[in-house]
Amino acid sequence: SQPKRVHEIEVLPAADLDRLAAAMPEETRLIVLLAAWCGLRRGEVLALRRRDIAADGTEVYVRRGVTFIDSKPVFSTPKTDAGVRDVTVPPHIVHAVVEHLDTYVGRGKDALLFTGKADGVLDEWTLRRTFKAAAETIDRPGLRFHDLRHQGAVLAARAGATTRELMDRLGHTTPAMSMRYQHAAAGRDAEIAARMSRMIQGE
């Protein structure tokens, strides 16, 4: 296969996303779903607390991110106002969100959604390791965690999001990035159109 070009955004079929999530440790499956369907950055997902999720699982309130300095988690607010946003959870994964809250998250409002050994926070290295193993399980060894955010962006663009709506959903400050995802979604439309013609020719 050809080397992956930087600007190419690989979008997994929904079934592969499900398989990827299923290949993760149970308590971290939701990380894959939130990154892919809500377009969250890694640091945003790892920083989520119970109070950042609507009680019915339908909204995610992105208010901070976490980075790791000398293996210690450092929480900070998003660098730009655009990063602070409310993201609606696609209905088909709401159940997974609620189930995760019920099963793996402490009762307190400040309880982290995902926990680990870095002062109680799931660290990026552990996530990278389990994610890499899950990606290999579904025969996508080149997949990186950040690709899931791209995925969420392209899926939203395919679903008809305008540039402004994509910017809001992803926390982009400029239209350029969001437009890139729209182009990726439009490329898919060209592919579908070509396939329609091939079907006719094949008859």
Side-chain angles (χ1 to χ4, degrees):
S1 66
Q2 292 187 310
K4 200 165 132 198
R5 292 206 294 283
V6 176
H7 62 270
E8 230 168 70
I9 300 166
E10 186 186 18
V11 178
L12 300 181
D16 280 2
L17 268 179
D18 286 344
R19 285 172 55 223
L20 181 65
M24 292 286 285
E26 275 179 35
E27 67 278 10
T28 54
R29 281 178 186 169
L30 188 66
I31 292 183
V32 166
L33 299 177
L34 288 176
W37 291 102
C38 297
L40 301 187
R41 297 174 177 93
R42 182 179 62 197
E44 292 171 344
V45 181
L46 295 179
L48 289 174
R49 297 178 187 274
R50 182 179 278 280
R51 68 172 129 102
D52 301 322
I53 309 286
D56 62 358
T58 58
E59 293 269 338
V60 177
Y61 312 121
V62 181
R63 296 294 179 269
R64 72 199 74 77
V66 63
T67 49
F68 295 86
I69 297 168
D70 295 332
S71 302
K72 295 267 182 230
V74 178
F75 290 91
S76 58
T77 48
K79 293 181 187 66
T80 62
D81 288 343
V84 174
R85 62 200 190 280
D86 298 347
V87 181
T88 302
V89 176
H92 76 281
I93 67 160
V94 166
H95 175 70
V97 173
V98 173
E99 204 165 72
H100 180 88
L101 287 171
D102 288 348
T103 313
Y104 300 109
V105 185
R107 291 284 151 241
K109 288 248 183 284
D110 283 333
L112 286 160
L113 253 63
F114 307 103
T115 55
K117 295 186 180 67
D119 292 345
V121 184
L122 176 64
D123 67 272
E124 58 188 358
W125 301 280
T126 304
L127 175 59
R128 192 175 292 138
R129 193 175 66 244
T130 54
F131 181 80
K132 192 175 183 327
E136 282 166 3
T137 301
I138 66 158
D139 297 321
R140 301 276 181 159
L143 195 70
R144 292 158 320 172
F145 188 79
H146 193 72
D147 294 337
L148 296 181
R149 177 168 154 82
H150 295 314
Q151 172 104 17
V154 175
L155 290 167
R158 272 189 205 165
T162 62
T163 303
R164 180 74 249 176
E165 287 163 343
L166 272 181
M167 286 173 69
D168 290 346
R169 189 165 178 83
L170 293 155
H172 286 155
T173 43
T174 63
M177 274 306 271
S178 293
M179 287 168 85
R180 219 182 93 190
Y181 295 119
Q182 284 174 308
H183 291 317
R188 169 82 179 162
D189 192 46
E191 187 187 312
I192 291 166
R195 203 178 297 160
M196 289 162 73
S197 293
R198 281 202 300 276
M199 276 165 32
I200 300 293
Q201 286 154 3
E203 277 177 6

